């Protein structure tokens, strides 16, 4: 098994791909393709693939003030984007939004190297101790500028804020912190008094070019605002709710929206994200899993495969715990990765890390196929 001593080059393999079926097209009728991972139903959890291999730095045994042991292959709530130099860059919760770079051009396999942080001095969002440990970065390029929407909070608190930093290059030292975009607390105006302002996701409608920000975690789950033209503020009267688990503790968060073939897809994480302990895990099914719904509008309503609205407890589970994969979530979508869509996420590899430690969570990814308009994941 791989060693976790020092900054080791680590090959995180799938330990077998469980089948070799490769679809010839990214959409269409499943019948006739011969099954998925040896099964006839591509939507069955028995068809879930293992994560693709990634390679990169393992910094957990060499913690320093810049990265705090995160980055490289160890990410939480990853955001991945193609840089101006043809290399992919990842951004992660912790380490002042640690930045890693894949050394092979055009590849997200790696080798992932830690190169620095976005917020070297912490966030300029004031009056919140979470400013020193920003969460859940969401990085996108708009025009010639990269936008990083990040979260400032403490675990279990609704007193939270979403901040913004921008850069022309993605490189450490190039980021300007603009501070708070909006915040939540019990005394704020609706819906910020009933929601939790973390886990931001920028989405610009490819049809109308209207910018939106999706956000939310637990408290009333996931909402959306339209953004102002400069992408630095919300239009207060534009709020809509996108999803809701009506059963306490309402564990939905980490929204990410993408567009494909006339459909808007809302991906989100459901369940307990972290703080796992091998001797006291969440009840089966209560750990993180990745769910999705779709709509003909970015404003909703979003439905699952059974036709249930996400605002009424719906949600199609597209990926969850299986084999050595535990608690996948914190997901995002790379569109047009060599002509295909990719879902990336973090997860616990229970073979590499039988302790389920947070700081050993790994970057994983899979290809997305759209079968009858619904996403399924594939190793190939």
């Amino acid at each position: 098994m791989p060693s976790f001593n020092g900054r080791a080059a680590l090959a995180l393999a799938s330990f077998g791909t469980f089948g070799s079926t490769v679809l010839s097209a990214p959409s269409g009728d499943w019948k006739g393709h011969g099954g998925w991972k040896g099964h006839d139903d591509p939507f069955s959890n028995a068809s879930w693939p293992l994560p693709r291999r990634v390679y990169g730095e393992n910094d957990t045994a060499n913690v320093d003030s810049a990265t705090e042991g995160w980055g490289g292959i160890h990410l939480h709530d990853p955001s991945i984007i193609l840089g101006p130099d043809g290399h992919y860059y990842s951004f992660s919760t912790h380490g002042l939004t640690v930045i890693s770079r894949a050394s092979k051009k055009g590849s997200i396999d790696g080798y992932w190297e830690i190169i620095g942080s976005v917020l070297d001095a912490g966030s300029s969002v004031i009056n919140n101790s979470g400013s020193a440990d920003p969460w859940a970065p969401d990085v996108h390029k708009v025009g010639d500028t990269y936008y990083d929407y990040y979260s400032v909070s403490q675990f279990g608190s609704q007193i939270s804020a979403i901040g913004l930093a921008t850069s022309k290059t993605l490189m450490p030292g190039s980021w300007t912190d603009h501070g708070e975009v909006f915040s939540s607390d019990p005394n704020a105006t609706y819906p910020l008094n009933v929601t939790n302002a973390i886990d931001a996701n920028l989405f610009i409608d490819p049809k109308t070019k209207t910018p939106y920000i999706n956000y939310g975690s637990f408290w009333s789950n996931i909402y959306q605002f339209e953004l102002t033209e400069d992408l630095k503020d919300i239009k207060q009267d534009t709020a809509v709710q996108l999803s809701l688990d009506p059963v306490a503790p309402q564990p939905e968060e980490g929204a990410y929206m993408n567009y494909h073939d006339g459909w808007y897809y809302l991906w989100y994480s459901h369940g307990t994200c972290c703080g796992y302990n091998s001797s006291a895990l969440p009840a089966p099914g209560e750990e993180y899993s990745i769910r999705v719904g779709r709509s003909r509008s970015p404003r909703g309503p979003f439905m699952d495969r059974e036709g249930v609205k996400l605002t009424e407890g719906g949600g199609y589970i597209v990926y969850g715990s299986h084999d050595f994969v535990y608690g996948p979530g914190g997901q995002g979508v790379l569109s047009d990765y060599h002509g295909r869509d990719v879902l990336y996420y973090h997860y616990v590899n229970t073979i590499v890390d039988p302790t389920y430690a947070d700081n050993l969570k790994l970057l994983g990814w899979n290809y997305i196929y759209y079968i009858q308009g619904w996403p399924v994941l594939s190793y190939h």
Side-chain angles (χ1 to χ4, degrees):
M1 297 307 296
S3 169
F4 280 93
N5 294 320
R7 292 193 173 191
L10 192 61
L12 294 166
S14 69
F15 300 98
T17 61
F18 286 80
S20 57
T21 301
V22 181
L23 293 182
S24 59
S27 60
D29 190 343
W30 173 246
K31 293 180 180 179
H33 284 301
W36 195 266
K37 198 176 148 185
H39 298 272
D40 292 330
D41 182 4
F43 304 110
S44 166
N45 58 10
S47 299
W48 290 338
L50 294 170
R52 295 278 301 191
R53 296 177 176 90
V54 295
Y55 306 84
E57 277 190 61
N58 161 32
D59 195 34
T60 57
N62 287 278
V63 175
D64 57 46
S65 59
T67 64
E68 299 178 4
W70 291 93
I73 56 170
H74 295 290
L75 303 183
H76 195 157
D77 306 320
S79 181
I80 298 177
I81 190 168
L82 182 64
D85 57 0
H87 293 266
Y88 280 94
Y89 289 77
S90 71
F91 299 79
S92 173
T93 287
H94 305 308
L96 300 174
T97 311
V98 62
I99 308 171
S100 303
R101 177 179 180 268
S103 59
K104 183 179 179 180
K105 279 191 174 182
S107 174
I108 57 174
D109 294 325
Y111 180 86
W112 287 101
E113 300 173 301
I114 301 165
I115 63 170
S117 301
V118 171
L119 300 166
D120 293 332
S123 167
S124 63
V125 176
I126 60 174
N127 299 325
N128 194 314
S129 60
S131 298
D133 184 29
W135 298 345
D138 182 60
V139 182
H140 298 267
K141 186 179 184 182
V142 183
D144 64 351
T145 302
Y146 296 93
Y147 290 76
D148 171 21
Y149 292 90
Y150 61 85
S151 305
V152 169
S153 188
Q154 299 180 67
F155 197 79
S157 174
Q158 188 209 358
I159 301 174
S160 308
I162 289 169
L164 171 65
T166 60
S167 168
K168 298 290 187 181
T169 68
L170 294 176
M171 297 302 293
S174 71
W175 292 88
T176 299
D177 184 18
H178 302 278
E180 181 180 307
V181 178
F182 63 100
S183 60
S184 62
D185 68 71
N187 299 314
T189 57
Y190 179 85
L192 295 170
N193 62 331
V194 297
T195 57
N196 190 16
I198 70 169
D199 292 359
N201 167 234
L202 173 67
F203 179 75
I204 298 179
D205 188 345
K207 293 182 176 180
T208 66
K209 308 306 178 186
T210 304
Y212 300 100
I213 193 162
N214 309 308
Y215 79 97
S217 171
F218 286 70
W219 285 265
S220 295
N221 295 157
I222 296 168
Y223 273 70
Q224 180 191 85
F225 283 106
E226 185 178 334
L227 285 170
T228 54
E229 187 175 351
D230 65 2
L231 308 181
K232 295 179 180 177
D233 202 357
I234 57 173
K235 295 183 179 181
Q236 181 70 45
D237 60 351
T238 63
V240 295
Q241 188 169 33
L242 301 182
S243 77
L244 176 69
D245 182 341
V247 180
Q250 301 177 304
E252 294 185 354
E253 57 189 10
Y256 194 98
M257 192 174 290
N258 78 304
Y259 177 81
H260 177 85
D261 197 24
W263 290 102
Y264 297 85
Y265 294 89
L266 181 69
W267 307 75
Y268 61 97
S269 301
H270 184 282
T272 300
C273 73
C274 35
Y276 301 145
N277 183 308
S278 57
S279 63
L281 292 172
E286 293 184 5
E287 76 279 9
Y288 246 18
S289 62
I290 301 172
R291 306 190 180 197
V292 69
R294 71 180 187 181
S295 174
R296 290 295 189 183
S297 166
R299 306 287 275 166
F302 287 85
M303 307 281 192
D304 67 12
R305 287 188 60 244
E306 304 300 321
V308 180
K309 291 181 180 180
L310 296 196
T311 51
E312 296 177 357
Y316 154 47
I317 304 176
V318 72
Y319 203 58
S321 299
H322 65 290
D323 299 297
F324 58 76
V325 176
Y326 186 82
Q331 67 291 318
V333 175
L334 266 181
S335 297
D336 196 23
Y337 179 70
H338 304 291
R340 303 172 69 179
D341 284 358
V342 159
L343 183 74
Y344 59 85
Y345 47 86
H346 70 244
Y347 72 102
V348 174
N349 183 315
T350 60
I351 295 176
V352 173
D353 174 30
T355 70
Y356 297 72
D358 276 347
N359 68 339
L360 294 181
K361 285 179 178 172
L362 300 168
L363 171 64
W365 69 274
N366 291 97
Y367 291 107
I368 301 172
Y369 284 96
Y370 297 88
I371 307 299
Q372 301 169 350
W374 286 101
V376 296
L377 302 187
S378 171
Y379 189 87
H380 298 287

